[in-house]
Amino acid sequence: MRYSEGDRLEPGEYRHLRAAAGWSDPGLADAELERVLAASWNVTARTRSGELVGMGRLHDDGLYASIWDMIVLPSHRRRGVGGAIFGRLLERCRRRSIVALVATAQGAPMYRAAGFTEESRGSTALFRRAD
């Protein structure tokens, strides 16, 4: 497995990874999705042939950071790929005041083991999704 920090993601491979994980399509045209993917710092896991098997995206303004799209192909789960990606993302934002993420039920145990909780010093995370 080859891990790359700051890797560029193509819209097609990103869509493929989301679909394989059972996630919905982001609903953006390729040009817009390319801009979105370029705006984040990405860590990827690829096979020797270059196939994308896992990724995570980081948004970081220097004070706060948020982790998005931690996805590993089902065929490569339980092999340490997600943990390796997550570790690289955390290292990149280790000095931020707050690091936030949204967890799936599958990923929540790994995030909790790294110290993530639903509340922080009396603050609770709140979400609103577009219809």
Side-chain angles (χ1 to χ4, degrees):
M1 196 64 51
R2 179 175 45 97
Y3 296 93
S4 297
E5 298 179 14
D7 198 8
R8 295 281 299 199
L9 292 161
E10 297 298 325
E13 63 183 358
Y14 175 72
R15 289 180 200 282
H16 171 75
L17 198 61
R18 287 181 65 101
W23 292 17
S24 64
D25 186 85
L28 299 174
D30 279 357
E32 182 66 12
L33 185 54
E34 189 171 351
R35 185 193 66 74
V36 168
L37 294 171
S40 56
W41 188 79
N42 308 306
V43 176
T44 59
R46 297 179 183 273
T47 63
R48 289 185 180 162
S49 65
E51 176 194 4
L52 181 67
V53 299
M55 61 155 294
R57 299 187 316 121
L58 178 69
H59 288 241
D60 182 1
D61 67 9
L63 179 61
Y64 304 121
S66 57
I67 295 172
W68 296 96
D69 296 335
M70 282 285 306
I71 310 170
V72 176
L73 284 178
S75 60
H76 286 75
R77 291 181 184 160
R78 305 276 182 232
R79 298 181 187 179
V81 174
I85 292 169
F86 188 53
R88 286 167 170 81
L89 293 168
L90 287 179
E91 180 59 29
R92 176 77 177 205
C93 62
R94 67 183 153 94
R95 296 185 185 206
R96 302 303 173 251
S97 295
I98 295 174
V99 178
L101 58 78
V102 176
T104 62
Q106 217 170 11
M110 178 174 68
Y111 307 138
R112 284 192 177 102
F116 284 80
T117 64
E118 286 82 1
E119 294 186 36
S120 175
R121 297 183 189 165
S123 296
T124 303
L126 301 174
F127 304 95
R128 183 181 129 199
R129 284 195 182 260
D131 292 334

